[in-house]
């Protein structure tokens, strides 16, 4: 059973200060392999010498050296190594020498999926990298997304979107199968490595989320379907790592083809690990809010329905921007759980949590351990209530963006929240207020209990965790009062009632005060993550307050 770990470092962001950079830590946690994400920046690059610009050539050469050192360190720790590779991606200098042959007509920055020359150059570059690093175990191939647009020396795009006279008749399944056949021959047949095909697509209608397309691709994949040298990797969610998702239905078509599930330990849409967010019960049993929609709920059931080859943990990374955490404890709880769920998909989350508290936090005091276990257990529903507007998420006709991006990375978009509030039926408005109240009340209770333990019994290890709860509480209080104020404002617009105006003023002034506490006080505490940022919060609340006489 594969137990893979990866750290996602996004171009242009500061590298995370993480214990998981040490492969010995991953090995001790029970992982068997490391997937090196940094090689996405080398996709399509046969050699740095082919890049024209001197400074850029030196940077890429140094990046090759850095990847080589990462591979060597993982090998010394006893981890197998897989490297990311994006297709279609090529160096800009290479593309400029054959624009007509490599790109779509009249689209010189879009690589054409029907170009044999493009596929040949992509495969040739990967062949050179496999010869440079002969000890790697395999390749993680990505074609539904790419970081090339963020790197000035690369040209790249997803496989699905190009459309020109050459590729317009080349359907989605044909594009994928042609790519897989080329890279299966290179990676599996020629080099004897394993090819992990990432099903992920960043836009709807790809291998990851379209059951029809997935079936057509799976039926035509090269090699024997039970051969684990070619396997498919799916995020466990139907689309991205959001709530209000079925267990990925496309993955369930792989009854014989080996499947890996990707699990995100630092949830990018839900606070980035600066907030308690225990994923083990959701991984094991699926999301309770969509259990009625899913044929399979959770890993415990999926492991019996597919040819499960392993689990792949995103131990750090995902998304863009902050919050940036200074304390990995809440992330570490999830990182600890993944290898154990790979060994036993029916592991009880409560027992996993208790093991983590004892072994990783070093907390032996039973009262403290029980309180921490309660915080973990409470967090899944608390997160759902805080970061999603339930009535809006349930009313969506598709599984993409169930939160409508009102909280994205570390940005709170107040206008997006207001748009959702305006569209909801009157009889669902109270549910919005209630769920935000529930989230704030839960974190307040958990914070109070832990604060008493820290104060009464001198638990210095728990003080930084307490600060993360204070940080969370201030943020959830701001969300609670903002949403309550927007609901009250919608009702005021209809009634023009003075009592309704009083509620609007009370709630929005409170939201502003809590926002100030979050951004100026609690995010500065030791162990707390960087503060959330706002988009439209002050403009919207001040405009409404002016209208209602605030």
């Amino acid at each position: 059973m594969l137990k893979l770990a990866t750290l996602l470092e996004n171009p242009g962001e500061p590298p995370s200060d993480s214990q998981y950079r040490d492969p010995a830590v991953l090995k001790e946690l029970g992982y068997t392999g490391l997937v090196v994400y940094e090689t996405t920046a080398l996709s399509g690059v046969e050699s740095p010498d082919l890049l024209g610009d001197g400074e850029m050539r030196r940077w890429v050469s140094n990046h090759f050296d850095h990847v080589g050192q990462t591979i060597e360190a993982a090998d010394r720790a006893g981890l197998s190594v897989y490297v990311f590779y994006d297709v279609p991606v090529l160096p800009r200098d290479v593309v400029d020498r054959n624009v007509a042959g490599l790109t779509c007509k009249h689209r010189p920055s879009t690589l054409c999926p029907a170009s044999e020359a493009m596929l040949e150059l992509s495969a040739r570059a990967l062949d050179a990298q496999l010869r440079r690093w002969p000890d790697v175990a395999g390749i993680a191939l990505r074609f539904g997304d790419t970081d090339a647009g963020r790197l000035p020396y690369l040209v790249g795009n997803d496989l699905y979107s190009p459309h020109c006279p050459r590729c317009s008749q080349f359907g989605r399944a044909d594009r994928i199968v042609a790519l897989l056949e080329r890279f299966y021959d290179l990676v599996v047949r020629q080099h004897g490595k394993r090819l992990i095909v990432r099903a992920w697509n960043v836009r709807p209608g790809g291998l990851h989320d379209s059951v029809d397309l997935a079936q057509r691709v799976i039926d035509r994949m090269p090699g024997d379907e039970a051969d684990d040298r070619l396997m498919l990797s799916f995020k466990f969610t139907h689309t991205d790592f959001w709530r209000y998702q079925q267990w990925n239905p496309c993955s369930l078509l792989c009854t014989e083809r080996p499947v890996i599930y990707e699990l995100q330990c630092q949830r990018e849409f839900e606070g980035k690990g600066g907030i308690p967010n225990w994923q083990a019960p959701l991984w094991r049993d699926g999301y309770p809010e969509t259990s009625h929609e899913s044929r399979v709920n959770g890993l415990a059931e999926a492991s019996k329905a597919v040819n499960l080859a392993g689990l792949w943990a995103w131990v750090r990374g995902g998304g863009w921007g902050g919050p940036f955490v200074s304390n990995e404890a809440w992330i570490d709880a999830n990182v600890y759980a993944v290898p154990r769920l790979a060994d036993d998909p029916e592991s009880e989350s409560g027992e996993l949590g208790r093991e983590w508290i004892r072994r990783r936090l070093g907390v032996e005091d039973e009262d403290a351990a029980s309180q921490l276990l309660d915080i973990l257990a409470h967090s899944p529903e608390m997160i759902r209530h805080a970061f999603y507007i339930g009535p809006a998420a349930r009313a969506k006709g598709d599984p993409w963006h169930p939160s409508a991006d009102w909280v994205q990375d570390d940005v709170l978009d107040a206008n997006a929240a207001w748009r959702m509030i305006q569209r909801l039926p009157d009889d669902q408005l109270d549910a919005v207020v209630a769920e935000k109240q529930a989230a704030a009340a839960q974190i307040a209770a958990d914070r109070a209990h832990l604060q008493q333990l820290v104060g009464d019994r001198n638990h210095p290890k728990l003080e930084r965790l307490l600060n993360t709860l204070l940080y969370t509480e201030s943020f959830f209080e701001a969300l609670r009062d903002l949403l309550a104020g927007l609901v009250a404002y919608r009702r005021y617009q209809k009634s023009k009632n003075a009592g309704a105006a009083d509620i609007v003023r009370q709630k929005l002034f409170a939201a502003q005060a809590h926002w100030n506490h979050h951004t100026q006080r609690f995010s500065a505490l030791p162990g707390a993550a960087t503060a959330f940022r706002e988009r439209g919060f002050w403009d919207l609340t001040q405009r409404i307050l002016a209208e209602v006489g605030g």
Side-chain angles (χ1 to χ4, degrees):
M1 186 71 69
L2 294 178
K3 306 163 193 174
L4 305 180
T6 196
L7 288 80
L8 277 76
E9 298 290 1
N10 295 318
E13 290 186 5
S16 57
D17 181 14
S18 175
Q19 62 187 312
Y20 311 121
R21 292 191 177 282
D22 184 351
V25 171
L26 297 174
K27 181 69 174 179
E28 182 182 356
L29 280 162
Y31 289 89
T32 63
L34 175 68
V35 187
V36 180
Y37 184 75
E38 291 93 326
T39 50
T40 56
L42 302 175
S43 299
V45 180
E46 185 175 349
S47 166
D49 297 335
L50 297 178
L51 301 178
D53 181 81
E55 181 181 348
M56 197 62 68
R57 186 167 58 246
R58 284 191 294 274
W59 186 91
V60 173
S61 180
N62 290 336
H63 201 61
F64 267 109
D65 292 340
H66 167 72
V67 168
Q69 293 166 7
T70 300
I71 292 171
E72 290 174 4
D75 185 64
R76 287 194 301 269
L79 296 177
S80 58
V81 178
Y82 298 81
V83 294
F84 258 93
Y85 195 79
D86 288 350
V87 182
V89 173
L90 290 173
R92 185 171 297 278
D93 292 339
V94 171
V95 175
D96 288 344
R97 290 194 287 269
N98 184 15
V99 173
L102 297 173
T103 68
C104 287
K105 188 175 182 179
H106 304 309
R107 299 176 68 184
S109 294
T110 301
L111 297 176
C112 184
S115 168
E116 280 294 321
M118 180 277 293
L119 273 179
E120 177 58 31
L121 288 170
S122 296
R124 194 167 79 187
L126 180 56
D127 178 62
Q129 293 184 21
L130 288 171
R131 295 180 190 280
R132 177 188 286 263
W133 303 309
D135 294 330
V136 300
I139 300 298
L141 188 70
R142 180 171 69 166
F143 49 83
D145 191 8
T146 174
D147 290 337
R150 303 179 179 99
L151 297 163
Y153 59 91
L154 292 180
V155 174
N157 43 269
D158 68 60
L159 194 69
Y160 299 102
S161 58
H163 186 84
C164 74
R166 179 166 49 183
C167 65
S168 60
Q169 302 305 311
F170 201 28
R172 292 176 300 162
D174 294 329
R175 296 179 183 202
I176 296 169
V177 171
L179 184 77
L180 296 186
E181 287 175 344
R182 180 67 63 97
F183 283 88
Y184 178 83
D185 181 68
L186 172 67
V187 175
V188 178
R189 291 198 181 106
Q190 295 182 36
H191 283 274
K193 309 291 186 184
R194 176 177 280 141
L195 180 60
I196 300 175
V197 176
R198 291 198 70 221
W200 172 243
N201 43 270
V202 73
R203 297 179 181 87
L207 177 60
H208 192 271
D209 71 312
S210 170
V211 171
D212 173 68
L213 177 61
Q215 187 65 72
R216 287 186 283 131
V217 171
I218 291 166
D219 289 343
R220 297 170 56 191
M221 290 181 71
D224 182 85
E225 64 179 353
D227 186 349
D228 70 358
R229 291 179 300 172
L230 175 61
M231 53 182 62
L232 283 164
S233 177
F234 295 87
K235 295 181 180 182
F236 76 99
T237 43
H238 190 181
T239 62
D240 213 340
F241 290 120
W242 291 297
R243 295 293 295 264
Y244 294 93
Q245 300 282 300
Q246 297 182 55
W247 192 266
N248 188 285
C250 298
S251 72
L252 302 177
L253 303 174
C254 303
T255 54
E256 297 297 331
R257 179 72 61 185
V259 168
I260 298 177
Y261 283 114
E262 300 177 28
L263 311 174
Q264 191 178 48
C265 300
Q266 184 184 1
R267 296 276 290 187
E268 65 189 273
F269 301 105
E270 300 166 357
K272 296 280 184 69
I275 291 171
N277 196 351
W278 179 224
Q279 291 293 297
L282 303 177
W283 293 336
R284 180 191 186 276
D285 298 320
Y287 292 153
E289 66 271 19
T290 55
S291 60
H292 61 288
E293 303 173 12
S294 302
R295 178 165 69 86
V296 163
N297 286 299
L299 188 63
E301 293 182 5
S303 63
K304 300 179 178 68
V306 303
N307 181 5
L308 183 65
L311 298 179
W312 178 352
W314 298 24
V315 295
R316 287 293 303 270
W320 295 89
F324 298 105
V325 301
S326 61
N327 182 350
E328 290 184 309
W330 299 123
I331 301 168
D332 191 67
N334 295 325
V335 174
Y336 178 85
V338 174
R340 286 143 189 88
L341 282 167
D343 287 334
D344 179 8
E346 298 186 55
S347 297
E348 291 293 339
S349 59
E351 183 56 34
L352 291 177
R354 192 171 293 278
E355 286 178 11
W356 171 74
I357 291 165
R358 183 176 70 254
R359 296 179 184 178
R360 297 288 290 171
L361 289 186
V363 174
E364 298 291 346
D365 180 280
E366 186 58 35
D367 289 342
S370 294
Q371 180 55 41
L372 290 170
L373 193 60
D374 284 346
I375 292 170
L376 291 178
H378 297 155
S379 66
E381 280 302 276
M382 180 185 74
I383 289 290
R384 183 174 69 88
H385 287 147
F387 282 89
Y388 299 84
I389 295 178
R394 285 188 288 270
K396 274 185 61 64
D398 67 78
W400 287 86
H401 298 275
S403 68
D405 300 333
W406 80 290
V407 180
Q408 176 85 349
D409 295 312
D410 62 348
V411 178
L412 165 65
D413 189 334
N415 289 311
W418 174 230
R419 286 192 294 270
M420 280 191 282
I421 294 298
Q422 289 176 294
R423 290 194 295 264
L424 286 175
D426 288 345
D427 62 359
Q428 295 185 20
L429 294 176
D430 287 339
V432 175
V433 176
E435 67 184 5
K436 300 298 171 285
Q437 289 175 335
Q442 186 63 71
I443 196 64
D446 287 337
R447 185 268 309 158
H449 292 147
L450 188 62
Q451 192 165 28
Q452 184 175 0
L453 278 171
V454 171
D456 291 350
R457 306 189 188 184
N458 189 26
H459 287 287
K461 293 180 180 180
L462 303 184
E463 289 181 4
R464 286 179 175 265
L465 289 182
L466 174 61
N467 289 341
T468 70
L469 301 192
L470 290 165
Y471 163 96
T472 303
E473 185 177 2
S474 64
F475 181 58
F476 285 5
E477 287 173 331
L479 298 184
R480 176 197 64 196
D481 291 331
L482 171 65
L483 270 295
L486 294 178
V487 167
Y489 176 58
R490 177 176 154 176
R491 288 171 168 159
Y492 166 79
Q493 287 181 312
K494 184 177 181 179
S495 69
K496 300 299 182 180
N497 181 278
D502 287 342
I503 297 173
V504 173
R505 287 191 292 270
Q506 175 191 348
K507 295 300 182 182
L508 293 187
F509 278 132
Q512 291 177 343
H514 289 307
W515 188 257
N516 282 333
H517 290 156
H518 172 74
T519 57
Q520 298 175 23
R521 178 183 176 190
F522 292 114
S523 60
L525 295 173
T530 56
F532 279 78
R533 298 174 293 140
E534 57 87 15
R535 180 183 296 138
F537 175 88
W538 289 105
D539 289 344
L540 179 63
T541 55
Q542 285 298 107
R543 178 178 63 78
I544 293 173
L545 286 169
E547 181 181 336
V548 300

